[in-house]
Amino acid sequence: LLAAVYKVVGAGTLVPRLLQSLLGLVTAVLVGRIARRTHGDDAAKLAAILAATFGMFIYFEAEILTTALGVFLVAAATNLLLEGLLLASRARLA
C-alpha cells in the first residue's frame, strides 16, 4: 500500500499519514458497527468513542507502520463476518 501511495503522489510522509488517519476513522466506525450488532446501541457509541480516542491507535496511525492497516483490515473482516452470519449470506461469509 505504501509503495502504491508513493507511486501515485511521490515520496513523502504526509499523504501516508493522512491515509492512515482516515483508516483510523473508518476503523472507529467499524468498531461501533461491530458493537452495535453484538451488544446494542449504547455499547456501539461507547466502543466507537473508545476506539477513536484510544492512545495506541492514535500513536500508530501517526507512524508509517502496518499497524493501522492491520487493525482496519481485522475490523473490516469482523464486520463482514458478522454481517454474513446475521444475513445468512454465504457470499459475505466467504
Side-chain angles (χ1 to χ4, degrees), residues 8-24:
V8 172
V9 297
T13 59
L14 178 63
V15 174
R17 286 184 174 156
L18 290 174
L19 178 63
Q20 286 190 169
S21 294
L22 179 64
L23 286 176

Side-chain angles (χ1 to χ4, degrees), residues 77-90:
T78 303
N79 186 51
L80 286 174
L81 177 65
L82 286 172
E83 202 171 295
L85 288 173
L86 293 175
L87 299 176
S89 168
R90 290 186 184 192

Side-chain angles (χ1 to χ4, degrees), residues 38-73:
T38 57
H39 294 90
D41 288 337
D42 291 337
K45 291 173 189 172
L46 181 62
I49 290 169
L50 289 174
T53 60
F54 184 52
M56 294 303 291
F57 284 174
I58 294 168
Y59 172 78
F60 281 112
E61 287 163 13
E63 297 292 322
I64 307 296
L65 297 170
T66 59
T67 307
L69 179 62
V71 172
F72 165 75
L73 291 175

Side-chain angles (χ1 to χ4, degrees), residues 24-47:
L25 290 172
V26 174
T27 299
V29 171
L30 288 172
V31 167
R33 290 183 71 178
I34 292 165
R36 177 172 285 120
R37 289 192 173 140
T38 57
H39 294 90
D41 288 337
D42 291 337
K45 291 173 189 172
L46 181 62

